[in-house]
Each structure stands twice: as structure tokens, then as C-alpha cells.
Amino acid sequence: PQAASPRSDIRNCSTDPPYLPPTATNTTARLAALRNAMRAHGVHAYIVPSTDAHMSEYIAQRDSRLAWMTGFTGSAGTGVVTQDKAALWTDSRYWTQAERQMDCNWELQKTTWIESIGLWLLEEVSVGGNISLDPFLFSIDAWNSYSQALHGSGRTLVPMETNLVDEVWGDQRPPLPSSKIYSLPEEFTGSSWQEKVAGIRQQMEQHVRHPTAVLLSGLEETAWLFNLRGDDIPYNPVFYSYTLLTNTSISLFVDSGRLSVEAVGSLQAACPGSLCVELQEYGQVRDHLRRYAQGNVTIWLGTEYTTYGLYGVIPQEKLLEDSYSPVMTAKAVKNAKEQELLRAAHVRDAVAVIQYLLWLEKMVPQGQVDEFSGAQHIDTLRQSVPPSQSPPAQCRSARD
């Protein structure tokens, strides 16, 4: 019998020349530029994660460094580049997608374990070599795992604040967001930001170690604490920011020019005083944190959302570590108003789903619906139920 034809939707690197589907990205020039930058900085291997500086589950296009470097757009993965090899690690959800999107410059490693990456690095990087990464894109636990995997091997793990992917991405990199950051109406929150700050400060006071400050790195932490919303990441009502909340002051690190007039008024209504929010530039958080940590202080943080780049500037004896910050745990407990809004949202959504099921009963037998058109139709139905008629960002924030 005639042999089955090979799949045409995935790459085939065993042929000469290799076969690449139309969905594959040519990464030859990008890899050459990155390797030039690596040589200039004395780097023998460079690690590229799929995260942003806030350990967000979803990221903006501006932070999609792994996707730009490899062509692979899955939400989970790690890339490593040496002078003569490049490899991507991802889990089984994305193996076929990776074979469709990557060219033959890249090896596909079918695991996500840091131990696997470490073993690969030991094979590809000679003793005495430097393995580098951006410390602002790796969690504390991830940094420690890489350190442990390379410990005693003669290879050095080097944090580099200059992100080499950003350097070669250059002006092709998507710009910073410019949309307004706005206050969420109190009808959607159930408590003012001042009440939330008072609750966190009470937890600080009652803690056995009496921390003097809480550092917030997760984008949803700052958005929730101040009842602010933005549109920096698609379908997520958050904005780039950090917060350092002490027992006497509040520092919000953000592009202050993007704050609406109402938001600025709300944040600074009690100035001067302990409920006055001092607006600082987003990029100044590390320097500010380093200065603050020089005093007689204890800084409480959640390790799940804090990067090694910030963690590393705080002396160990001045750290109070939990998996999640007190803001993240407080956010998880919905107040009475939030519970009421959640129930009402489910009722409204149920109306749209019932309408959708009726539509399916009519359209499916006619052969006039597929998965894509069905998804579009239920989106339309949901948007037709108030308050989903609000602008998209406000609509999303009302549901979070």
C-alpha cells in the first residue's frame, strides 16, 4: 500500500531542505542578533521565560519575549540559547503548536522541569561558562531552582539587568501602554481603598514579627487595593505597577501620567498623612526598595509574585516571606457587596447561555454553525446583557 503522506501542518527538520509550514516563524536573524549580544556581554547561554516582571498568568504583547524569539505563542514555556543551539521546553498541551510555529533553529524539549533545562545546560555549556537571565523575569523559587541545578558544576548563573531580548528586539517591540488608569466605582467594590489599607495595616500590626512594610508585585494586588483598573493586558483589568505600603506611608510605582483626574484625586485626597498615596515612577521601585531596606525595617512579601530582581535587594534578615502577600489573601475573601455582584453576574450570564442554547437548537440542524461562529454568537449575546454594554475595560473590571 502507498505510504501515508506526512503532515503538512507541522515542521519536518529531517528532510533536506527542511519542510516548514506557513505558520512557522523564521528566527535566523533574531538568533544571530541575540548571539551577538551574548558575545558582547560574555554570556554563553541565555534563558528566556514566558513571564513578565509581575509573574502574571497572562502577559501583554510587549512582554512576549519568548514568542518573539521562537515564534511559539503558547502561554507556558522556556527558551535557552547558546552560540550554536537553541531549545524550547514546554508541556504536552503545546507540542503540536510548537511544531507548527517554530523553525528548525529550535529543538523541542517535551518537559517543563528546570532540572531538565539544567542537565541540557551542563551538556551545552563548558565548565567556566556564564549562564545568564533577567532577574526581573524569574520568581524567587525559579532562581533558586536554577542555582541548585548548576551548583558545583563550574558554571556561573549571572543575573543581568539588561534584557538581551529587549536589546535585539529594539524598536520592533510593542510600545508601553498609554490608556487611562481609572477608579472603579464604589458600587462595584463594597469597600474603599482606605478601608482596605487599614485592614492590611492591622494585619501588619498583629503579626508576630510586626512587619513595617508590605511589598506588592502582582498586578492584581495593586489594582484591588486601590480600586483602580487599567487595560495593559488584554482581558485583564490591570496596569503595570508596584506598591510599597508601610505603617506610615504608601508608595505607588506607576506611570502617573496615565492616572485619570478622578483617580489622582482619590489617591491624594488625604495628603499629607498616612493615607496619602505618593506617586513614584514605575521604574524606580528597585532603588526605592533598596533605600528603604537600609533602615530598621521588616518587609513582608509574597514569593509567588515577587521576582528575584526585587527580592535580591532586601537583606535576608529583613524579609518576611509567605507564598502570598496579605493583600492577595484578603482579595480572595469576597465581601457582601462583591458576593451580591457575583450572584447577579451569574444570573445575567445564565440569560445569555439560555438564549445561546435555544439558538443552537435551531441552527445546528441546519448546518449553519461551527465552533468559531458559535463562540462569536455567545459573545454577542453576553455583550447585549447590561452592564456589558459599558466600554470593554470597565465591563471586564466589573466582573473581576
Side-chain angles (χ1 to χ4, degrees), residues 116-136:
S116 171
I117 301 174
L119 290 172
W120 189 90
L121 286 166
L122 294 180
E123 288 184 6
E124 301 300 332
V125 178
S126 301
V127 173
N130 291 329
I131 298 162
S132 189
L133 49 74
D134 182 341
F136 287 93

Side-chain angles (χ1 to χ4, degrees), residues 197-277:
V197 166
I200 300 304
R201 283 176 168 163
Q202 184 177 27
Q203 289 192 54
M204 293 163 61
E205 183 180 340
Q206 293 173 348
H207 197 284
V208 64
R209 287 191 57 189
H210 302 294
T212 61
V214 173
L215 174 65
L216 306 180
S217 293
L219 299 183
E220 60 267 46
E221 295 178 300
T222 290
W224 177 85
L225 182 65
F226 295 117
N227 292 336
L228 296 176
R229 297 294 186 268
D231 210 16
D232 293 5
I233 298 176
Y235 310 110
N236 291 261
V238 295
F239 51 92
Y240 290 121
S241 58
Y242 295 95
T243 297
L244 186 67
L245 170 64
T246 80
N247 41 24
T248 58
S249 66
I250 310 168
S251 296
L252 171 58
F253 300 87
V254 69
D255 180 355
S256 58
R258 295 177 54 210
L259 289 166
S260 70
V261 173
E262 294 77 14
V264 173
S266 170
L267 296 172
Q268 300 192 322
C271 292
S274 62
L275 285 174
C276 170
V277 179

